[in-house]
């Protein structure tokens, strides 16, 4: 199977760990998707305009990162026919290398095609409702947000919270360790998108987290 992939090096590396050595993984350049059995766009969340690169790929399974916005909204905003078989996946850093692929579909009747390909990849699919944040990111990022509120209130230091969560709840990572691996930019932007979408106070970004995010993006742009 020929797998075309586009994304940041860390996400390409994580995807590579999920596919068997019998499959050919090709990092795409110049939008060359010729003969690809499946296309992965692992940072589509930040480049929704790339839908124009895939819409014409008739029948091709195209799997895009769809956490920061609802995929149906992207399709609606595109405003043109979609000929590929389009699916969303939870491709935030650290979330690809899991037992199940957390996915959503725009066309529910096309899931069979994706399931057949993912079966060849030995990667079971867990279908979830198409919403901003899907399921797992909502839970993990809400925990990270609450941890920031705890530090902001002076209750505990980041290091103590990480240790306490791992020892007390058997979490594989502390919330701040998780935030570093996911990337503070992703944490902030997904939480902010969730709050805009749901108006649920659980996702209202902690001021301390927002400040760190602004400092980060300001330092990158300088």
């Amino acid at each position: 199977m020929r797998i075309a992939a586009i994304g940041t090096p860390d996400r390409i590396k994580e995807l590579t760990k999920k596919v068997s050595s019998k499959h050919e993984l090709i990092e795409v350049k110049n939008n060359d998707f010729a003969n690809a059995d499946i296309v992965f766009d692992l940072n589509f969340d930040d480049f929704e305009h790339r839908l124009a690169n895939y819409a014409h790929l008739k029948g091709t399974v195209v799997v895009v990162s769809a956490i920061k916005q609802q995929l149906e909204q992207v399709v609606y905003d595109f405003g043109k026919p979609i000929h590929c078989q389009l699916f969303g996946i939870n491709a935030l850093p650290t979330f690809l290398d899991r037992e199940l692929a957390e996915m959503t579909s725009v066309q529910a009747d096309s899931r069979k095609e994706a399931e057949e390909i993912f079966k060849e990849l030995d990667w079971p699919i867990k279908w979830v409702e198409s919403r901003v944040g899907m399921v797992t990111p909502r839970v993990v990022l809400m925990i990270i947000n609450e941890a920031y509120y705890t530090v902001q209130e002076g209750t505990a230091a980041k290091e103590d919270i990480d240790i306490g969560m791992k020892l007390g709840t058997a979490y594989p990572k502390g919330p701040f360790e998780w935030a570093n691996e996911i990337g503070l930019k992703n944490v902030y932007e997904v939480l902010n998108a969730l709050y805009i979408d749901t108006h649920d106070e659980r996702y209202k970004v902690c001021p301390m987290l927002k400040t760190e995010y602004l400092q980060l993006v300001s330092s990158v742009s300088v």
Side-chain angles (χ1 to χ4, degrees):
M1 183 186 301
R2 287 171 57 87
I3 304 167
I6 183 170
T8 55
D10 59 330
R11 298 196 198 186
I12 294 291
K13 182 178 179 180
E14 197 172 352
L15 177 64
T16 301
K17 292 175 64 177
K18 293 300 301 181
V19 298
S20 169
S21 58
K22 68 180 180 180
H23 303 296
E24 183 181 5
L25 181 64
I26 305 165
E27 290 191 54
V28 175
K29 296 181 180 179
N30 301 320
N31 298 324
D32 182 14
F33 304 104
N35 302 316
D37 297 297
I38 184 170
V39 177
F40 283 92
D41 188 333
L42 303 176
N43 57 343
F44 180 83
D45 272 314
D46 298 317
F47 304 97
E48 307 98 282
H49 64 275
R50 291 204 294 237
L51 183 56
N53 298 335
Y54 315 129
H56 67 284
L57 300 175
K58 188 173 182 179
T60 301
V61 172
V62 178
V63 181
V64 301
S65 177
I67 303 297
K68 298 178 185 178
Q69 68 276 306
Q70 187 173 350
L71 199 52
E72 285 86 348
Q73 184 67 53
V74 177
V75 171
Y76 175 81
D77 292 341
F78 182 64
K80 299 176 184 178
I82 305 294
H83 299 292
C84 65
Q85 302 292 331
L86 187 64
F87 302 91
I89 191 170
N90 175 10
L92 286 176
T94 76
F95 285 97
L96 280 175
D97 190 17
R98 301 165 67 211
E99 182 179 351
L100 299 175
E102 186 175 349
M103 292 180 58
T104 185
S105 59
V106 173
Q107 309 114 318
D109 59 353
S110 65
R111 290 182 176 182
K112 184 177 179 181
E113 288 86 345
E115 288 170 350
E116 289 176 351
I117 287 181
F118 272 72
K119 185 176 181 180
E120 287 190 50
L121 296 174
D122 194 26
W123 195 3
I125 293 173
K126 176 62 178 178
W127 296 108
V128 300
E129 185 180 356
S130 179
R131 291 291 304 275
V132 175
M134 290 193 181
V135 176
T136 310
R138 286 186 177 220
V139 175
V140 173
L141 299 188
M142 183 174 61
I143 291 170
I144 291 171
N145 198 39
E146 287 299 321
Y148 265 94
Y149 273 115
T150 301
V151 174
Q152 179 177 277
E153 293 164 359
T155 304
K158 291 182 178 180
E159 296 79 6
D160 296 331
I161 292 173
D162 278 345
I163 293 171
M165 291 296 285
K166 286 189 289 186
L167 295 179
T169 64
Y171 278 20
K173 302 179 180 72
F176 294 102
E177 290 176 325
W178 226 326
N180 288 336
E181 292 187 15
I182 295 171
L184 190 63
K185 179 177 182 292
N186 289 319
V187 171
Y188 172 82
E189 291 177 357
V190 176
L191 280 170
N192 194 49
L194 276 166
Y195 184 66
I196 292 172
D197 183 59
T198 65
H199 299 290
D200 190 323
E201 290 293 318
R202 293 179 298 175
Y203 306 118
K204 189 172 184 179
V205 180
C206 173
M208 181 182 177
L209 194 163
K210 181 177 181 180
T211 298
E212 289 189 9
Y213 163 78
L214 292 173
Q215 290 171 341
L216 173 67
V217 295
S218 297
S219 66
V220 172
S221 62
V222 171

